[in-house]
Amino acid sequence: VDMSVETTRKVRVIGRQQQLLRIDFEKTPSREVLLQKLRDYRRLLVECDVVILSDYGKGGLTHIVNMIGLAHRYRKRILVDPKGFDFSRYKGANVMTPNRGELREVVGPWSRETELDSKAQRLRRDLGLDALLVTRSEEGMTLYEEEGRHHEATQAREVYDVSGAGDTVIAALAVMVAAGADLREAVRIANHAAGIVVGKLGTAVASFAELKNSMKAEH
């Protein structure tokens, strides 16, 4: 609780059943309040299998370097959804899931697939990641590991609203990793989950039944 900060409000502008834009009203929390929260974070680490650090650029992950260090101390897998131009703060995470635009801001533009592959792998090595998963909207998603690349084509039938698609991807990925799946299988399931939620209006979830049916339809 920080009495000097109001809870962030997000106003979504909808037209013809599709989101056109979002307007945020917010104030960044103080570093002191966030530093106090590290104690709660350390306590919760003991109880979890996987850590998701989803950066919305709102200031909540001001101490993310400490958070990654603590997660390593407790031997937890760390998945990061990044934001901004400085990806060095995510160094040491296991998996990072930037979207196409976020990656372009950091590594620069590319004109060929081989150029993208080279830049993505270089970034993965520089940050010490096990894997880099690039979500690419209508192009699907591409996983970069030491062993090479693995691509999953998009599963979206018709896109109504992309709100929460990135959250869905990293959440599904984390669940599968915690359950013991290898990353390529986890990415396949995350891709199906994302395809389900972008076909719904507003921030939505993919149910187990929907996921099961989507994966059946693939075959």
Side-chain angles (χ1 to χ4, degrees), residues 74-85:
Y74 286 90
R75 304 188 178 203
K76 307 297 182 179
R77 298 288 295 277
I78 308 158
L79 284 69
V80 172
D81 190 352
K83 185 74 71 179
F85 299 98

Side-chain angles (χ1 to χ4, degrees), residues 2 7 16 33 50 53 64 78 82 109 127 146 150 155 166 182 203-204 210 216:
D2 185 344
T7 300
R16 295 179 182 270
V33 167
V50 173
L53 297 172
I64 191 170
I78 308 158
L127 296 180
E146 186 65 38
H150 171 72
Q155 293 294 329
D182 66 65
T203 51
E210 288 172 324
K216 276 184 180 177

Side-chain angles (χ1 to χ4, degrees), residues 97-101 103-104 110 113 116 132-144 149-157 159 162 165-166 169 187-195 198 218:
T97 63
N99 62 38
R100 184 172 51 190
L103 182 68
R104 188 181 291 115
W110 55 85
E113 196 72 13
L116 166 60
L132 179 72
L133 176 63
V134 183
T135 56
R136 304 172 61 181
S137 192
E138 74 282 354
E139 296 175 354
M141 55 186 69
T142 308
L143 178 71
Y144 295 95
R149 75 192 292 277
H150 171 72
H151 184 75
E152 289 283 341
T154 183
Q155 293 294 329
R157 283 73 179 172
V159 177
V162 297
V169 168
V187 167
R188 186 170 76 91
I189 290 172
N191 192 39
H192 277 275
V198 299
E218 183 183 35

Side-chain angles (χ1 to χ4, degrees), residues 97-219:
T97 63
N99 62 38
R100 184 172 51 190
E102 290 163 344
L103 182 68
R104 188 181 291 115
E105 286 182 349
V106 172
V107 303
W110 55 85
S111 56
R112 300 181 306 278
E113 196 72 13
T114 52
E115 191 177 0
L116 166 60
D117 294 349
S118 176
K119 290 188 173 192
Q121 288 285 29
R122 187 181 306 120
L123 178 65
R124 183 191 61 77
R125 288 191 295 270
D126 288 347
L127 296 180
L129 306 172
D130 294 334
L132 179 72
L133 176 63
V134 183
T135 56
R136 304 172 61 181
S137 192
E138 74 282 354
E139 296 175 354
M141 55 186 69
T142 308
L143 178 71
Y144 295 95
E145 301 175 280
E146 186 65 38
E147 297 80 10
R149 75 192 292 277
H150 171 72
H151 184 75
E152 289 283 341
T154 183
Q155 293 294 329
R157 283 73 179 172
E158 185 172 357
V159 177
Y160 281 95
D161 195 335
V162 297
S163 300
D167 298 313
T168 299
V169 168
I170 198 168
L173 202 66
V175 168
M176 295 310 300
V177 167
D182 66 65
L183 270 177
R184 296 194 175 194
E185 176 64 9
V187 167
R188 186 170 76 91
I189 290 172
N191 192 39
H192 277 275
I196 293 166
V197 300
V198 299
K200 301 179 181 183
L201 182 62
T203 51
V205 297
S207 71
F208 178 74
E210 288 172 324
L211 193 55
K212 192 174 179 181
N213 289 337
S214 177
M215 295 181 71
K216 276 184 180 177
E218 183 183 35
H219 302 293

